[in-house]
């Protein structure tokens, strides 16, 4: 269902399907509602629809964009979503003609970036001078720095 939005793109633009990942979210939600899809599967389907192109080009994304992707899929509370989404994206790539046997390094890359971000917790911060939203902002900044460091070690 991750590509349902392709049918909703401007036919004048075909074979390109610009913004199909965003256009497809309401369609995925409607299908899930109609078929009474369990909440966990519904959530994964929506995340796959919205994020699959980002994961396909993961190595091009800035560290803050990677962090925000991880946060959007709620991986800090639901870490299993990283592996699930990586698997969906690998199936998407390998489902294309001639690519069934190809590798998908972005699955491992997503996991590495997530592990780097997840390794930073609020306990790692100097909380004496922080309170309220500033704690969340500092945590986000520290996790982005961890992702950036991980990206830099790959070069």
């Amino acid at each position: 269902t991750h590509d349902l939005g392709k049918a909703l793109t401007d036919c004048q633009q075909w074979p390109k399907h610009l913004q199909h990942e965003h256009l497809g979210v309401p369609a995925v939600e409607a299908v899930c509602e109609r078929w009474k899809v369990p909440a966990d599967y519904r959530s994964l389907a929506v995340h796959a629809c919205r994020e699959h192109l980002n994961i396909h080009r993961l190595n091009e994304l800035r560290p803050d964009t990677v962090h925000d992707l991880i946060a959007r899929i709620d991986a800090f509370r639901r870490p299993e979503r990283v592996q699930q989404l990586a698997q969906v994206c690998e199936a998407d790539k390998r489902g294309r003609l001639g690519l069934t046997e190809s590798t998908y390094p972005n699955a491992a890359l997503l996991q590495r970036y997530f592990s780097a971000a997840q390794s930073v917790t609020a306990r790692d911060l100097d909380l004496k001078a922080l309170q309220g939203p500033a704690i969340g902002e500092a945590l986000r900044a520290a996790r982005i720095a961890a992702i950036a460091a991980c990206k830099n070690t790959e070069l």
Side-chain angles (χ1 to χ4, degrees):
T1 60
H2 72 285
D3 277 341
L4 283 177
K6 285 185 174 182
L8 304 172
T9 60
D10 181 359
C11 63
Q12 300 300 318
Q13 300 282 325
W14 291 354
K16 293 182 181 180
H17 297 283
L18 302 176
Q19 298 295 312
H20 80 279
E21 67 278 18
H22 302 292
L23 293 170
V25 170
V28 169
E29 290 172 336
V31 166
C32 289
E33 180 64 30
R34 171 93 168 105
W35 291 346
K36 305 298 183 218
V37 173
D40 285 347
Y41 294 112
R42 178 184 307 222
S43 180
L44 180 60
V46 169
H47 292 311
C49 180
R50 187 178 51 240
E51 304 298 347
H52 72 283
L53 294 181
N54 285 329
I55 293 173
H56 288 330
R57 59 185 188 93
L58 193 60
N59 59 342
E60 301 170 22
L61 301 181
R62 296 184 322 260
D64 61 320
T65 305
V66 173
H67 173 277
D68 294 347
L69 183 157
I70 291 167
R72 275 193 306 274
I73 67 170
D74 199 20
F76 294 115
R77 289 186 327 117
R78 307 281 308 272
E80 70 278 5
R81 288 191 176 159
V82 172
Q83 188 275 330
Q84 292 168 342
L85 194 54
Q87 190 172 15
V88 167
C89 291
E90 180 174 0
D92 177 36
K93 181 187 180 203
R94 295 179 71 186
R96 297 177 192 157
L97 189 62
L99 298 177
T100 58
E101 301 301 320
S102 63
T103 61
Y104 191 68
N106 288 11
L109 187 60
L110 180 61
Q111 185 60 56
R112 269 198 313 277
Y113 291 161
F114 173 61
S115 294
Q118 188 182 37
S119 71
V120 178
T121 66
R123 284 175 266 158
D124 300 320
L125 304 176
D126 181 14
L127 299 176
K128 293 179 205 103
L130 302 174
Q131 57 184 345
I135 295 171
E137 292 167 11
L139 183 58
R140 180 179 184 273
R143 286 176 168 168
I144 290 169
I147 294 167
C150 184
K151 284 179 84 75
N152 289 337
T153 61
E154 294 169 2
L155 300 178

